């Protein structure tokens, strides 16, 4: 299911949490025009399997849905960069021994 991040009466993460309780086997991909780190992390914690910027165009959005159905986690390149930045800055480095 595509979830528009800014149109709902509820914050995106809360909407995904509530919908996933009612429809537990549904995959949620957030579709948004903005790169909001707070909304991104809330949506991922709530169970979103993907996060796609509207600017990628309709063909890429369809490809993202296909990717999610095939077991992937579609992320727009700019969103993927934000996710990596968040991981780098929020967790200490893992040391290999």
């Amino acid at each position: 299911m595509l979830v528009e991040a800014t149109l709902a009466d509820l914050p995106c993460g809360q909407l995904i949490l509530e919908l996933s309780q009612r429809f537990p086997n549904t995959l949620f991909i957030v579709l948004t025009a903005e790169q909001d780190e707070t909304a991104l992390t809330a949506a991922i914690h709530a169970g979103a399997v993907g996060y796609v910027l509207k600017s990628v165009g309709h063909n890429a959005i369809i490809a993202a849905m296909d990717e999610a159905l095939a077991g992937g986690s579609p992320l727009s390149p700019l969103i993927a960069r934000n996710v990596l930045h968040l991981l780098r800055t929020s967790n200490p480095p893992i040391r290999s021994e």
Side-chain angles (χ1 to χ4, degrees):
M1 175 182 290
L2 290 176
V3 177
E4 213 306 330
T6 58
L7 291 181
D9 290 337
L10 293 173
C12 183
Q14 184 65 35
L15 178 63
I16 292 170
L17 277 174
E18 290 186 18
L19 287 173
S20 64
Q21 290 173 357
R22 292 182 67 191
F23 308 101
N25 296 321
T26 302
L27 302 174
F28 296 94
I29 299 172
V30 176
L31 183 63
T32 187
E34 301 175 9
Q35 297 181 55
D36 178 354
E37 289 183 2
T38 302
L40 169 64
T41 55
I44 290 171
H45 285 289
V49 299
Y51 207 94
V52 179
L53 293 172
K54 289 180 181 179
S55 62
V56 299
H58 68 277
N59 288 335
I61 293 168
I62 293 169
M65 291 187 289
D66 289 338
E67 183 179 341
L69 289 171
S73 290
L75 297 172
S76 294
L78 291 173
I79 297 298
R81 182 176 291 259
N82 284 347
V83 169
L84 292 174
H85 172 75
L86 288 169
L87 289 172
R88 264 190 238 107
T89 58
S90 65
N91 294 318
I94 298 172
R95 298 178 190 223
S96 59
E97 311 233 349

